[in-house]
């Protein structure tokens, strides 16, 4: 059921929905600030270490905890049902409703019940099931699906809600939010008072005490668990924690990360059934049933890589910071769980084939990883998903077939790039091209791109004389640094490599360019071509070993983080793994390296570029993977630039390598947002540290006719 | 029972007030149940409350006795019947968490939840000495480790009135729970309780 449709069509639809984009963009902007305020005085990293340890332990012992939970809960009078599948869970609840003569059910928000399509099932049996969370009720009345895990109806406007409610209450309602909320209160209040069964989810389930914790804001959770004589909680196995004290860090992080609240209005900790009060003044015994839901979770737990996804506390911050989600919203993902984590969950809970398309939506910007309170390396999980899907699918696309053939053969790859440099000549206009060859072809859609140069960096560095100027009294002779260029610097922006060489030489450091170096392997890695990526890694390791350098710098943060991942890529080959670890430890982004050099070379002074105002774009991998944010700013400051901060400076530019080929409209929209902020900064120069961002942003600016020039930080420094 | 000395309590109260008011609660501090009763009467008059539901406790009772609110009908039994129509719910909570402006209550008795959820206004009384600094302090107080059978069946954490941002992310107060939450700290709960 619920098989997703055409993803490209869904994306087009989402891009056409201005309400959705407006709401998501506003939210994305406000979220970061209010989240930071909510975490004030708290150590997020310490907190997530704690949560990670708690959830990892729980994942390790999932079955044991499930049994302990069952025993503890039963000792307090709770009835626990272990549901292996969605169907078992649905049937248990339906039978219970039948036995207890239930006709009306109220529900508070539960993703697990969405996951098992409980409402549809109960509805088919003639039971009235009412969603009482305001957002969920809106969706239920309008026959839509949630587009966000925490804010399910974020894609709808007040006008649309007014229409939906007007139809329900048969009265023309104005698009006035407080009024609409009142209408919901009045109508749902009746439902609460009449219902015979209340269904909830749970945010945490404590094994040692048999306690469930429910976190809500509206108060519907309290009413659902208080008024009806029967309470059913549908709880995924991943919600289990071992100890009661484990609640603490999760409860600290969940509201802060989910809605930027220090705490939600209501948190209920329920241990066993409590009495129920009847309108005639009598009290009775309530029944509490907890459905512990597996539905693919044990399979996830058994998987050495994907077990990590069980550390998720469902805060949805990976959605909130995702540049793609911010533009398309949740519906494009097609299933209950959306965004980055949804991509992984969908594979396990809804079937592998259903995640094969949506996993491509990930740009690889790695932003989510920084914000995850469960410390999940989501980008790694998505790469692994792609790798396995690639293995399973059998027939890769034409571009990945070409990549798998061409990339491991450096000579072929480079001669094709050189040929492209000549072949594109007729299409060039002012140094920009409209068409690129082979798998780079899609890059030019709707955008001007720089030409592949006729003389790549490798040819240029070979010709420059190897003289070293010594700065001041800082004798740095004898220091040799290897330069890893990466394809873009080598073949498109050799000027960046030349700037690096000049700076290093001026600082008395010899720059070595190993000719055997090739692509860092990222395009293959992100397409799921593990063997191709591994081959690129081996070639680069060998090339730099031969060069005999003890430090490697690159001007591309994506290349740097790729090389840092070589040990992961070559994990299965012990000898190579060792050599990969050595290379990974040697590599550094040039800006970070230079920052260190200038700190050591106290006497060195950068030449001042007085009065020039620049702004700075934080590239995803520069900030997110390498943690370099202050270093470029300080270097630019030392060089006398007047730095104006760019609004949302760390928001992705939408390049993502081959991403802009797969989802050109999406990439374009993300770029447009970036270009708007650049225009808003009102400066002549944008500095950044990634040749990919440089390509994307300068291409965008050129096609807008903007006069802003984009420079790599090293191009703005002069010793 | 006082968990802290006076200065510490003043600091915790100030923090609680700041945090709770930031999430739209209304916070007061009075010396004794008589003053609490006066505050309650003010609220009743100001909001023109006709029907009040309350869960009895020594503090709640003496506050009600001191309120002298003849205009409002007061129900303390069969709350399931009266709470849905009541204008105001009154109850005593067990703890107050300063860092988040949160009230904590053992609400195993469903009446505790009915009066604090169904009426549009909730007035919570809390002994000032029951302030704790951190949320984790409150959880620790319930976490006895040895004897899990003593864990209350239903522990409620209440922070501000009921809220939603489900329509266009516009914060709206008062959805299914109360739209107004008054918190009255009483310094000497066991003090004079006759008018």
């Amino acid at each position: 059921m619920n098989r997703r449709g055409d993803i490209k069509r869904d994306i087009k639809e989402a891009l056409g929905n201005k309400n959705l984009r407006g709401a998501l963009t506003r939210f994305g902007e406000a979220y970061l600030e209010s989240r930071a305020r909510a975490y004030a005085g708290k150590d997020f990293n310490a907190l997530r270490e704690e949560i990670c340890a708690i959830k990892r332990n729980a994942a390790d012992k999932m079955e044991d905890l499930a049994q302990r939970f069952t025993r503890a809960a039963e000792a307090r009078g709770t009835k626990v049902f272990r549901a292996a599948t969605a169907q078992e869970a649905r049937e248990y609840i339906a039978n219970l409703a039948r036995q207890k003569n239930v006709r009306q059910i109220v529900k508070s928000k539960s993703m697990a019940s969405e996951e098992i399509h409980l409402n549809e099932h109960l509805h088919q049996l003639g039971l009235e099931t009412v969603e009482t969370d305001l957002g969920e009720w809106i969706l239920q009345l309008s026959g839509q699906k949630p587009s966000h895990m925490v804010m399910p109806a974020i894609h709808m406007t007040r006008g649309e809600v007014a229409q939906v409610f007007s139809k329900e209450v048969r009265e023309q309602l104005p698009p006035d939010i407080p009024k609409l909320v009142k209408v919901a209160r009045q109508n749902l209040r009746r439902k609460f008072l009449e219902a015979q069964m209340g269904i909830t989810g749970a945010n945490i389930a404590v094994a040692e005490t048999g306690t469930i914790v429910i976190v809500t804001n509206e108060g519907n959770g309290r009413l659902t668990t208080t008024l009806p004589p029967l309470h059913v909680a549908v709880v995924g196995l991943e919600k289990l924690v071992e100890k009661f004290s484990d609640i603490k860090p999760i409860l600290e992080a969940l509201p802060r990360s989910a809605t930027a609240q220090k705490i939600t209005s209501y948190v209920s900790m329920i241990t066993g059934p409590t009495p129920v009060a009847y309108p005639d003044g009598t009290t009775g015994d309530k029944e509490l049933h907890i459905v512990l839901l597996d539905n693919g979770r044990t399979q996830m737990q058994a998987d050495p890589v994907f077990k990590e996804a069980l550390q998720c506390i469902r805060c949805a911050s990976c959605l909130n910071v995702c540049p793609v989600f911010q533009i398309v919203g949740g519906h494009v993902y097609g299933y209950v769980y959306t965004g980055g984590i949804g991509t992984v969950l969908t594979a396990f809970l809804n079937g592998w084939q259903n995640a094969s398309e949506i996993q491509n939506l990930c740009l690889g910007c790695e932003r989510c990883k920084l914000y995850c309170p469960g410390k999940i390396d989501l980008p790694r999980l998505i790469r692994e998903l792609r790798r396995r899907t690639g293995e399973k699918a059998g027939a890769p696309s034409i571009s990945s077939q070409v990549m798998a053939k061409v990339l491991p053969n450096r000579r072929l790859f480079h001669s094709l790039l050189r040929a492209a440099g000549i072949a594109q000549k007729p299409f060039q206009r002012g140094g920009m091209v409209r068409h690129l060859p082979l798998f780079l072809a899609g890059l030019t859609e709707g955008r001007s791109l720089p030409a592949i140069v006729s003389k790549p960096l490798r040819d240029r560095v070979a010709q420059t004389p190897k003289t070293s100027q010594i700065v001041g009294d800082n004798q740095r002779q004898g220091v040799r640094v290897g330069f890893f260029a990466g394809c873009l610097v080598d073949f498109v922006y050799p000027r960046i490599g030349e700037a690096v060489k000049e700076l290093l030489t001026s600082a008395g450091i010899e720059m070595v360019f190993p000719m055997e170096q090739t692509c860092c392997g990222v395009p293959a890695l992100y397409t799921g071509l593990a063997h191709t990526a591994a081959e690129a890694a081996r070639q680069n390791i060998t090339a730099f070993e031969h060069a005999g350098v003890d430090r490697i710098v690159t001007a591309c943060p994506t290349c740097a983080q790729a090389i840092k991942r070589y040990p992961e890529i070559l994990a299965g080959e012990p000898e190579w793994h060792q050599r990969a670890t050595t290379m990974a430890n040697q590599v550094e982004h040039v800006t970070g390296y230079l920052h260190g050099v200038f700190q050591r070379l106290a006497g060195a002074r950068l030449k001042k570029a007085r009065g020039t105002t620049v702004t700075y774009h934080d590239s995803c991998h520069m900030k997110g993977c390498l943690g370099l944010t202050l270093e470029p700013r300080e270097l630019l400051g030392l060089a006398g630039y007047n730095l104006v901060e760019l609004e949302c400076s760390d928001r992705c530019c939408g390049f993502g390598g081959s991403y802009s080929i797969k989802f050109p409209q999406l990439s374009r929209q993300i770029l447009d947002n970036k270009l708007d902020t650049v225009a808003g900064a009102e400066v002549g120069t944008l500095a950044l540290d990634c040749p990919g961002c440089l390509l994307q942003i300068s291409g965008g600016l050129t096609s807008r006719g903007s006069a802003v020039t984009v420079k790599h930080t090293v191009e703005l420094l002069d010793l | 029972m006082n968990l802290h000395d006076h200065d510490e309590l003043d600091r915790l109260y100030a923090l609680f007030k700041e945090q709770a008011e930031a999430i739209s609660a209304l916070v007061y501090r009075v010396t004794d149940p008589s003053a609490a009763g006066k505050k309650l009467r003010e609220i009743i008059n100001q909001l023109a409350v006709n029907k009040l539901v309350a869960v009895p406790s020594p503090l709640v009772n003496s506050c009600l006795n001191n309120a002298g609110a003849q205009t409002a009908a007061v129900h303390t039994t069969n709350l399931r019947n009266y709470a849905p129509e009541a204008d105001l719910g009154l109850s005593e909570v067990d703890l107050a968490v300063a860092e988040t402006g949160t009230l904590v209550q053992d609400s195993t008795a469903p009446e505790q939840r009915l009066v604090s959820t169904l009426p549009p206004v909730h007035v919570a009384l809390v002994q000032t000495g029951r302030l704790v600094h951190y949320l984790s302090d409150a959880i620790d107080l319930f976490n006895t480790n040895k004897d899990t059978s003593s864990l209350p069946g239903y522990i409620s954490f209440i922070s501000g009135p009921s809220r939603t941002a489900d329509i266009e992310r516009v914060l709206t107060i008062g959805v299914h729970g109360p739209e107004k939450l008054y918190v009255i700290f009483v310094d000497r709960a066991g003090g004079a309780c006759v008018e």
Side-chain angles (χ1 to χ4, degrees):
Chain A
M1 79 184 75
N2 215 9
R3 178 83 183 88
R4 62 149 311 105
D6 174 4
I7 195 166
K8 300 247 153 122
R9 192 201 57 214
D10 290 350
I11 290 172
K12 209 169 159 198
E13 241 168 57
L15 287 175
N17 184 342
K18 289 226 159 56
N19 297 335
L20 172 70
R21 249 171 45 213
L24 289 171
T25 305
R26 277 196 305 278
F27 175 61
E29 284 162 11
Y31 170 77
L32 288 179
E33 272 177 44
S34 36
R35 178 191 170 279
R37 270 199 302 277
Y39 270 109
K42 296 280 167 188
D43 183 344
F44 175 64
N45 277 321
L47 212 49
R48 70 182 192 153
E49 285 298 342
E50 238 183 296
I51 294 172
C52 172
I54 287 168
K55 298 289 279 186
R56 199 173 275 172
N57 169 58
D60 283 338
K61 303 195 241 178
M62 199 161 81
E63 178 52 34
D64 174 45
L65 294 192
Q67 289 178 21
R68 282 165 68 188
F69 179 85
T70 306
R71 280 198 300 276
E74 284 174 350
R76 292 290 296 256
T78 306
K79 296 196 169 65
V80 180
F81 177 70
R82 300 281 304 271
T85 60
Q87 194 190 347
E88 280 184 28
R90 286 194 300 262
E91 280 172 5
Y92 178 80
I93 298 166
N95 283 337
L96 187 63
R98 214 169 298 145
Q99 275 168 30
K100 303 286 172 188
N101 238 338
V102 170
R103 295 169 312 279
Q104 293 148 290
I105 301 172
V106 280
K107 268 186 75 196
S108 78
K109 190 168 172 301
S110 151
M111 295 302 291
S113 74
E114 297 267 358
E115 174 191 327
I116 62 171
H117 305 289
L118 184 59
N119 286 3
E120 289 93 323
H121 186 72
L122 296 174
H123 185 75
Q124 278 166 13
L125 300 174
L127 293 160
E128 184 197 82
T129 309
V130 180
E131 291 287 352
T132 61
D133 173 85
L134 179 60
E136 293 282 349
W137 194 51
I138 295 168
L139 296 182
Q140 190 179 34
L141 293 180
S142 56
Q144 297 194 41
K145 293 253 155 222
S147 62
H148 188 285
M149 283 194 268
V150 177
M151 295 163 297
I154 192 171
H155 59 286
M156 293 179 75
T157 62
R158 66 190 80 185
E160 289 168 320
V161 175
Q163 277 177 20
V164 171
F165 282 11
S166 298
K167 215 172 126 197
E168 173 68 13
V169 302
R170 296 195 184 85
E171 179 196 331
Q172 199 48 49
L173 300 168
D176 172 69
I177 293 175
K179 168 85 186 146
L180 294 170
V181 171
K182 270 233 151 62
V183 167
R185 178 185 172 102
Q186 285 156 3
N187 281 269
L188 290 170
R189 179 55 68 86
R190 230 181 33 243
K191 307 282 184 193
F192 282 120
L193 293 169
E194 288 167 359
Q196 297 89 35
M197 181 192 266
I199 299 178
T200 69
N203 298 89
I204 309 169
V206 183
E208 77 173 347
T209 56
T211 305
I212 53 169
V213 182
I214 303 174
V215 178
T216 69
N217 269 315
E218 296 181 0
N220 57 327
R222 273 163 79 78
L223 291 175
T224 306
T225 55
T226 299
L227 291 167
L230 188 54
H231 171 200
V232 180
V234 186
V235 184
L237 286 174
E238 82 286 1
K239 298 289 165 59
L240 286 165
V241 297
E242 186 167 2
K243 301 192 199 86
F244 192 76
S245 60
D246 292 342
I247 295 172
K248 293 190 283 181
I250 300 175
L251 197 53
E252 303 251 7
L254 180 58
R256 287 181 169 88
S257 284
T259 48
Q261 289 176 282
K262 287 181 182 163
I263 189 165
T264 53
S265 301
Y266 303 105
V267 176
S268 304
M269 299 183 184
I270 301 173
T271 313
T274 51
V276 60
Y278 294 107
D280 62 3
T282 60
T283 44
D285 291 328
K286 195 186 184 85
E287 271 189 41
L288 171 60
H289 295 251
I290 294 177
V291 178
L292 273 185
L293 180 69
D294 186 331
N295 200 34
R297 287 162 176 83
T298 325
Q299 193 202 340
M300 197 177 250
Q301 195 251 359
D303 188 299
V305 178
F306 288 103
K307 193 169 97 179
E308 194 175 318
L310 295 168
Q311 286 159 224
C312 174
I313 61 168
R314 304 281 190 273
C315 70
S317 51
C318 56
L319 279 62
N320 299 343
V321 301
C322 174
V324 177
F325 186 89
Q326 247 172 50
I327 282 171
V328 298
H331 286 149
V332 164
Y333 293 82
Y335 286 88
V336 175
Y337 299 105
T338 55
I341 191 67
T343 306
V344 174
L345 295 177
T346 297
F348 280 86
L349 310 178
N350 294 88
W352 210 267
Q353 72 285 358
N354 293 325
S356 65
E357 267 195 293
I358 54 174
Q359 60 188 272
N360 291 326
L361 284 168
C362 172
L363 260 167
C365 77
E366 310 239 341
R367 205 170 182 210
C368 51
K369 195 173 144 184
L370 299 177
Y371 290 91
C372 177
K375 235 182 141 228
I376 300 171
D377 188 345
L378 203 44
R380 184 175 80 105
L381 297 187
I382 291 173
R383 283 198 303 277
E384 178 65 9
L385 210 54
R386 287 179 183 169
R387 193 187 66 77
R388 293 199 201 169
T389 308
E391 274 176 6
K392 282 180 195 196
S397 65
I398 290 170
S399 65
S400 38
Q401 276 179 21
V402 172
M403 203 191 299
K405 283 223 161 50
V406 173
L407 218 49
N409 186 338
R410 185 190 66 79
R411 280 177 198 286
L412 173 62
F413 176 49
H414 285 166
S415 56
L416 282 170
L417 284 173
R418 283 171 196 274
I422 300 161
Q424 74 194 354
K425 282 258 152 51
F427 306 105
Q428 276 187 43
R429 221 176 40 204
M432 308 294 263
V433 285
R434 294 241 169 272
H435 301 283
L436 282 173
L438 300 169
F439 53 90
L440 298 171
L443 284 173
T444 49
E445 208 164 303
R447 170 178 12 206
S448 304
L449 289 179
I452 289 181
V453 290
S454 49
K455 195 175 190 181
L457 181 67
R458 52 183 61 240
D459 295 355
R460 299 178 190 215
V461 285
Q463 288 171 357
T464 29
K466 281 183 184 169
T467 49
S468 292
Q469 285 171 257
I470 310 303
V471 180
D473 53 5
N474 291 294
Q475 295 286 330
R476 305 280 305 169
Q477 242 166 345
V479 178
R480 278 159 59 88
V481 164
F483 186 66
F484 184 86
C487 305
L488 280 177
V489 170
D490 202 348
F491 289 91
V492 180
Y493 296 117
R495 62 176 215 235
I496 295 174
E498 288 175 317
V500 171
K501 178 156 183 154
E502 220 170 288
L503 279 166
L504 290 176
T505 309
S506 305
I509 298 162
E510 186 186 347
M511 186 181 111
V512 181
F513 189 102
M515 289 297 160
E516 300 302 310
Q517 64 177 288
T518 185
C519 167
C520 67
V522 148
L525 196 61
Y526 281 20
T527 330
L529 296 171
H531 296 302
T532 312
E535 182 48 32
R538 284 189 218 98
Q539 290 179 18
N540 286 322
I541 292 167
T542 312
F544 279 85
E545 282 173 352
H546 287 162
V549 292
D550 51 9
R551 190 103 329 262
I552 302 165
V553 296
T554 173
C556 172
T558 302
C559 293
Q561 59 102 18
I563 294 169
K564 287 194 177 298
R565 255 180 218 135
Y566 283 177
E568 179 196 315
I569 295 170
L570 296 167
E573 303 163 59
E575 188 225 340
W576 278 107
H577 180 265
Q578 183 52 45
R579 294 161 72 181
T581 309
T582 306
M583 185 174 186
N585 291 335
Q586 287 173 331
V587 76
E588 231 181 306
H589 188 278
V590 67
T591 302
Y593 178 74
L594 285 172
H595 187 261
V597 166
F598 285 111
Q599 277 184 336
R600 285 192 298 273
L601 286 179
R605 288 275 178 275
L606 282 163
K607 285 197 186 122
K608 296 278 181 184
R610 268 177 226 291
T612 312
T613 303
V614 298
T615 189
Y616 186 78
H617 161 70
D618 287 284
S619 300
C620 296
H621 295 160
M622 186 75 177
K623 183 179 178 183
C625 300
L626 306 176
L628 297 170
T629 54
L630 289 175
E631 290 81 353
R633 288 175 168 81
E634 283 181 11
L635 282 178
L636 290 168
L638 279 174
Y641 289 97
N642 176 24
L643 184 74
V644 174
E645 282 297 333
L646 184 65
E647 195 194 330
C648 304
S649 65
D650 63 352
R651 199 195 279 152
C652 183
C653 70
F655 177 58
S658 54
Y659 193 84
S660 32
I661 305 175
K662 280 183 206 132
F663 299 111
Q665 320 103 298
L666 251 178
S667 170
R668 181 74 220 178
Q669 184 57 50
I670 299 173
L671 172 61
D672 270 338
N673 292 348
K674 181 53 82 181
L675 297 178
D676 290 346
T677 59
V678 173
E682 296 179 342
V683 295
T685 307
L686 171 72
L688 41 67
D689 275 280
C690 171
C693 301
L694 173 60
L695 185 141
Q696 171 91 338
I697 298 174
S698 61
L701 288 170
T702 306
S703 62
R704 271 197 186 187
S706 162
V708 178
T709 54
V710 188
K711 296 271 184 203
H712 194 288
T713 299
V714 295
E715 293 182 275
L716 294 167
L717 305 177
D718 194 4
L719 203 68
Chain B
M1 180 184 87
N2 274 352
L3 301 168
H4 312 273
D5 66 35
H6 269 293
D7 290 349
E8 176 67 1
L9 271 185
D10 288 347
R11 275 193 298 274
L12 292 181
Y13 171 74
L15 180 58
F16 181 96
K17 187 173 164 70
E18 176 198 303
Q19 292 300 318
E21 285 178 349
I23 47 175
S24 316
L26 299 152
V27 183
Y28 304 92
R29 183 177 179 183
V30 300
T31 50
D32 53 29
S34 152
K38 233 161 93 191
K39 188 72 222 167
L40 178 65
R41 187 168 63 225
E42 270 174 48
I43 296 167
I44 288 171
N45 290 338
Q46 194 195 339
L47 302 177
V49 168
N50 288 319
K51 195 188 270 185
L52 183 154
V53 282
V55 181
S57 82
L59 180 57
V60 164
N61 297 348
S62 60
C63 173
L64 275 175
N65 289 338
N66 284 294
Q70 294 91 343
T71 51
V74 177
H75 298 278
T76 55
T77 56
N78 193 6
L79 298 176
R80 171 63 176 82
N81 188 35
Y82 294 110
E85 303 307 321
D87 304 309
L88 186 151
L90 174 70
S91 61
E92 180 181 354
V93 300
D94 303 318
L95 297 169
V97 179
E99 73 160 334
T100 49
T102 301
L103 305 172
V104 189
Q105 187 190 48
D106 171 354
S107 37
T108 306
E111 292 76 15
Q112 295 285 13
R113 284 168 266 152
L114 295 173
V115 304
S116 58
T117 319
L118 290 170
V121 180
H122 177 211
V123 178
L125 302 176
V126 57
Q127 300 179 33
T128 313
R130 307 302 317 236
L131 270 162
V132 296
H133 196 154
Y134 297 107
L135 188 65
S136 57
D137 298 337
I139 295 173
D140 283 338
L141 286 174
F142 289 103
N143 186 22
T144 52
N145 274 330
K146 285 167 245 121
D147 182 17
T148 52
S149 63
S150 66
L151 196 61
Y154 202 117
I155 309 170
S156 297
F157 292 73
I158 301 173
S159 310
S162 147
R163 63 187 57 225
T164 186
D166 273 356
I167 305 177
E168 291 188 11
R169 287 192 53 252
V170 175
L171 177 67
T172 312
I173 301 291
V175 201
H176 299 300
E179 58 197 38
K180 278 198 169 68
L181 171 66
Y182 291 86
V183 185
I184 304 175
F185 282 88
V186 186
D187 285 356
R188 291 190 306 275
C193 41
V194 281
E195 210 167 11

